[in-house]
Each structure stands twice: as C-alpha cells, then as structure tokens.
Amino acid sequence: MHTAATPRIGITAVGSHLPARRLTSQQLQDEVTAGGRLALPERMFEKATGIRTRHFAADGEYASTLAVGAARRALAARALRPQDVDLLLFASATRDVCEPATAHIVQAELGTRAHALDVSNACNSFLNGIDLARAMILAGRARRALVVTGETPSRAMLRTPSSLAEFRDGFAGYTFGDAGAAVVVEAVERGGILDVGTETASEHWPAAASPAAAPATRAATSTATSGAAARNCAASSRRSAPPPWPGSPPAPASAGTTTPGCWCTR
C-alpha cells in the first residue's frame, strides 16, 4: 500500500483499435461446419456464447498493427508525442515473430526511442505488463510507460474440426476476436494503482500450452484448451520470415521445421 513517501503510479490514458473486418457468429459457424462437415444447430455459436459479431484481423494485419493503432490513440488522448515515452512494453499472448520482441516492431512504427521489450504470459500478459511498468517507474528505471497489446487469436481457431470431439475440444477458441489496446502509465497526484497481488498455480501450465512455441525437446500434454493454441505457434500473426542477412550461410535442412508465421523451429 502507499505511504506518504511512495509515489502514486496510475493509468492516465487508454486507447483501443479494432480491425475493420467483422464476422457474425453465424458466418463463423457456417465456415466451421463447412470445413469440418459437421451438423450443428442453427445459431448455436451465438446462443452458446452470447456473441453476435466479432472483429478479425485481415491479411496483412498483425498483432503489432492492432497495437500501433491503439497506441496512437492512447498517446493522442494524453497529448503526448512518441518521444515522451521512455518504456514500451508489448504485452500479449500473440506476437508477430518469436524473435525479436514484437515491441521493436511497434516502436519502429510509432517512432519512439524507449526501452522496448515483450511480456508474454497467456491471458495475464497485459495485466503483467501494467504491473511491470508500474514497478519500473517506482524503481526509477522509467518515467512514463506505454503498455500495448495486440491479439489475433482468430488465427488459432480450429476451422476444420475432424470430429465432434475435436470441435468440443477447441470450442473455447470460437469465443475470441482480434483487437488492440494501449495504456499510458506514469506518476499521478491522486488515485492510481494502489497495489497488485498475485499468486500462480503453475502446475496447470499444460492447459494453456502451445507446443509449437516450446523447446523441441518438450511436448505439452494434450488438453481440451490447448488443442487450438497448439496449431500455429501461440496464434502467431503469420508474418513471413525476412530474407537472410547478406553473407549468412543457408540453414541446414536438419535444423528443424519452420513453424508458419513464427521465426522458430520445432
């Protein structure tokens, strides 16, 4: 909790960004039933989830694209320039590439020159990013932070389930949409974030595992909730790898299989 000598750190601006493409739950259901040749009740997705429409990123839109759109709105809401930020955190379960940090892609687009890094911890990523920003400001390591996220879980949805059992295993994925969000975190005179307390039950890690992004020697336990996520490297945004650096030797064929949309091997 705060004492008289402890600075108050809070959120002073927010921004959001939605991709233009919209899809109704019935359109998504029609796509899934056609791909998997399943017979499902009319409007089942809408009735089961309460979701009528959702936004999906288009080809050429990435997690960073959504984050940049939200970041610009947050900066504008606070009348800030990109140069006014000295810490940029991209906090998300999805990212453009495995390496380098997607925060660098966001920063290059925004024009900031901040200390930039990623925070990735499944659904906790954005909250962890805000907590880290607050801690670094309190420690004197930063003055003003921009915490951004871009999520593209639609790209991990199971579009062609081979059976009703596989459809049920991946059903949680049909509740998601794509979006970006951003917050400015800095010292405030009143209010602010009083404290953050967390406790983690890490023994349940397989429930959110994405084996394609894990080390090659470690295979995650198959569970109902990990089935869809395992299909494309933590729902990566499908950026293609850049050409090799000039003079760099070609990768040996035995180096591993490149995961689509992720500069990593498995």
Side-chain angles (χ1 to χ4, degrees), residues 25-26 40 58 71-72 78 99 113 141 143-144 153 175 196-197 204 231 237-238 256 262 266:
S25 287
Q26 187 58 48
L40 299 175
R72 285 175 172 154
R78 188 78 172 93
E99 291 292 346
R113 297 293 291 177
R141 297 290 307 278
R143 182 175 58 87
R144 178 181 291 121
T175 65
V196 178
H204 302 298
R231 284 173 173 78
S237 296
R238 300 181 188 271
C262 201
R266 57 174 177 148

Side-chain angles (χ1 to χ4, degrees), residues 119-246:
V119 178
S120 181
N121 190 23
C123 297
N124 301 309
S125 300
F126 197 57
L127 179 60
N128 290 160
I130 294 173
D131 189 23
L132 177 59
R134 173 178 175 267
M136 291 187 71
I137 294 171
L138 286 173
R141 297 290 307 278
R143 182 175 58 87
R144 178 181 291 121
L146 181 63
V147 184
V148 303
T149 187
E151 297 282 3
T152 56
S154 67
R155 290 180 172 139
M157 284 183 181
L158 182 59
R159 304 300 180 93
T160 57
S162 59
S163 65
L164 280 173
E166 190 174 39
F167 168 75
R168 286 193 297 268
D169 285 350
F171 187 79
Y174 304 129
T175 65
F176 295 129
D178 301 339
V183 295
V184 176
V185 180
E186 59 186 328
V188 295
E189 293 183 0
R190 299 179 57 190
I193 302 169
L194 297 181
D195 201 3
V196 178
T198 60
E199 182 176 325
T200 306
S202 297
E203 65 271 20
H204 302 298
W205 69 266
S210 178
T217 56
R218 187 166 200 154
T221 304
S222 176
T223 65
T225 55
S226 66
R231 284 173 173 78
N232 70 3
C233 195
S236 79
S237 296
R238 300 181 188 271
R239 272 192 188 271
S240 58
W245 289 308

